């Protein structure tokens, strides 16, 4: 009996694994840290192989499977697929193959969008792979078949965010280029369906105005993770005076650049980002 209780406690104290094709998934980690400050995190960013958004389904599944194997070696108790592209294309397959609960960002984003719209017209922006998969249309349609969804791939947003051009005037031109037609439509909720887009939130809001609600799936994903852990009896107990848990960050390339970005967006100090040869997994 005691052993069972100890095992269960060990599982509760295990970290949550989170992965993305690169650094954008830290926007999801930030939200998890806000809502679940007692949970430790092990994060993997596939900086050597990013972007996923322009790759084939098979490649995205193959990469996601390797990362899941790596996270399993860290004894994670649950896995968050923080990447929209991997959530859209790999999660259904990989989820079947592992024995830890998994959650992606698409379903939480779709739920938030269905709640946010009043006109029944939702826009979704994401990578080419996410938008072509039609996954948001499918999931939102299953929640409420009266909602119509318009998708738009915005492939240049990711490199522009990575180049630090969020506040540059050219960013506004790019937003106008991609979102001009959506602005004229009757859409009243727009899903930021890519990990990097929450970093453009204020610029997109400046362009679209108050009438269109911007949906950041990260917020609902952290809530979904809380429910998933609770359902599986895996929520960590509050940890007394220590407010924020630890985060162990791993990448497949360029750890220094990643560390800088992590320190600019996470509420804790990151002193080290480790490099992993992901091809071994
Ligand atoms: N993380 C990806 C996503 O959320 C964006 C970057 C990429 O194309 O890999 O879809």
């Amino acid at each position: 009996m005691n052993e069972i209780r100890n095992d269960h406690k060990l599982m509760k104290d295990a970290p949550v694994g989170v992965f993305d094709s690169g650094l954008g998934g830290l926007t999801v980690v930030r939200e998890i840290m806000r809502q679940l400050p007692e949970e430790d995190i092990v994060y993997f960013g596939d900086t050597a192989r990013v972007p996923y958004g322009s790759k084939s389904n098979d490649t995205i599944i193959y990469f996601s499977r390797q990362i899941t194997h790596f996270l399993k070696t860290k004894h994670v108790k649950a896995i968050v697929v923080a990447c929209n592209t991997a959530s859209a294309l790999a999660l259904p397959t990989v989820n079947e193959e592992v024995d830890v609960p998994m959650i992606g960002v698409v379903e939480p984003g779709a739920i938030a969008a269905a709640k946010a719209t009043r006109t029944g017209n939702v826009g979704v922006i994401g990578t080419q792979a996410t938008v072509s998969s039609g996954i948001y249309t499918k999931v939102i349609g299953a929640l409420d078949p009266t909602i119509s969804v318009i998708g738009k791939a915005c492939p240049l947003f990711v490199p522009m965010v990575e180049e630090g051009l969020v506040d540059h005037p050219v960013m506004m031109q790019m937003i106008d280029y991609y979102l001009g037609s959506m602005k004229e439509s009757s859409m009243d909720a727009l899903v930021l369906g890519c990990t990097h887009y929450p970093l453009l939130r204020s610029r997109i809001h400046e362009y679209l105005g108050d009438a269109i609600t911007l949906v950041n799936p990260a917020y609902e994903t952290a809530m979904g993770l809380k429910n998933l852990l609770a359902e599986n009896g895996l929520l960590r107990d509050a940890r007394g005076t220590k407010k924020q848990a630890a985060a162990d960050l791993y990448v497949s390339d360029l750890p220094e650049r990643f560390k800088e970005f992590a320190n600019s967006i996470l509420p804790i100090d990151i002193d080290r980002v480790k490099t992993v040869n992901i091809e071994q997994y």
Side-chain angles (χ1 to χ4, degrees):
M1 174 69 185
N2 265 347
E3 234 169 65
I4 294 176
R5 200 177 297 137
N6 281 343
D7 264 10
H8 199 63
K9 164 126 182 58
L10 273 179
M11 281 170 67
K12 279 182 162 187
D13 289 347
V16 173
V18 182
F19 79 87
D20 177 38
S21 55
L23 45 77
L26 290 175
T27 57
V28 178
V29 173
R30 176 173 62 181
E31 200 50 53
I32 295 173
M33 287 183 159
R34 231 178 245 155
Q35 295 187 38
L36 297 166
E38 55 288 329
E39 300 293 346
D40 287 335
I41 309 263
V42 176
Y43 181 92
F44 178 80
D46 203 355
T47 46
R49 305 188 294 195
V50 68
Y52 283 12
S54 50
K55 300 206 164 59
S56 70
N57 293 13
D58 285 351
T59 301
I60 296 162
I61 292 171
Y62 173 70
F63 289 171
S64 302
R65 188 178 280 137
Q66 283 181 321
I67 298 169
T68 307
H69 292 168
F70 164 69
L71 290 173
K72 284 278 296 169
T73 67
K74 300 289 165 198
H75 307 292
V76 295
K77 63 181 175 185
I79 294 177
V80 180
V81 184
C83 177
N84 277 266
T85 307
S87 297
L89 297 162
L91 178 61
T93 307
V94 178
N95 198 10
E96 293 289 310
E97 301 169 355
V98 290
D99 56 359
V100 289
M102 292 184 79
I103 180 170
V105 286
V106 168
E107 205 171 300
I111 294 171
K115 274 191 215 152
T117 182
R118 297 281 160 267
T119 62
N121 293 290
V122 169
V124 175
I125 52 175
T127 63
Q128 193 62 60
T130 300
V131 172
S132 308
S133 76
I135 184 94
Y136 274 101
T137 312
K138 196 169 132 206
V139 180
I140 294 172
L143 291 166
D144 182 345
T146 66
I147 298 177
S148 79
V149 180
I150 336 164
K152 176 88 189 171
C154 307
L156 291 177
F157 281 175
V158 168
M160 290 185 74
V161 169
E162 301 224 345
E163 285 303 316
L165 295 177
V166 170
D167 295 315
H168 193 280
V170 79
M171 192 75 234
M172 240 16 191
Q173 288 172 15
M174 205 40 81
I175 292 174
D176 178 50
Y177 172 72
Y178 283 131
L179 305 188
S181 56
M182 279 184 156
K183 191 179 181 181
E184 302 311 321
S185 75
S186 45
M187 157 188 99
D188 68 343
L190 177 67
V191 181
L192 306 178
C194 170
T195 46
H196 288 58
Y197 301 174
L199 300 164
L200 290 175
R201 189 188 184 107
S202 58
R203 302 308 308 276
I204 296 177
H205 174 245
E206 195 183 317
Y207 178 76
L208 292 178
D210 290 335
I212 296 174
T213 305
L214 300 182
V215 175
N216 175 5
Y219 179 80
E220 296 276 336
T221 302
M223 278 184 11
L225 172 64
K226 189 173 183 179
N227 292 338
L228 186 72
L229 294 177
E231 277 161 21
N232 287 281
L234 290 172
L235 259 185
R236 192 171 194 172
D237 304 322
R239 40 168 83 212
T241 50
K242 191 173 170 212
K243 282 212 183 62
Q244 185 70 63
D248 247 343
L249 308 186
Y250 295 86
V251 290
S252 43
D253 201 7
L254 299 173
E256 282 307 314
R257 181 163 178 248
F258 193 87
K259 187 176 115 183
E260 220 174 278
F261 181 74
N263 278 314
S264 74
I265 78 158
L266 295 183
I268 57 170
D269 283 339
I270 302 294
D271 349 300
R272 189 160 168 231
V273 174
K274 289 162 242 172
T275 308
V276 173
N277 179 1
I278 199 67
E279 292 291 354
Q280 281 177 342
Y281 292 88

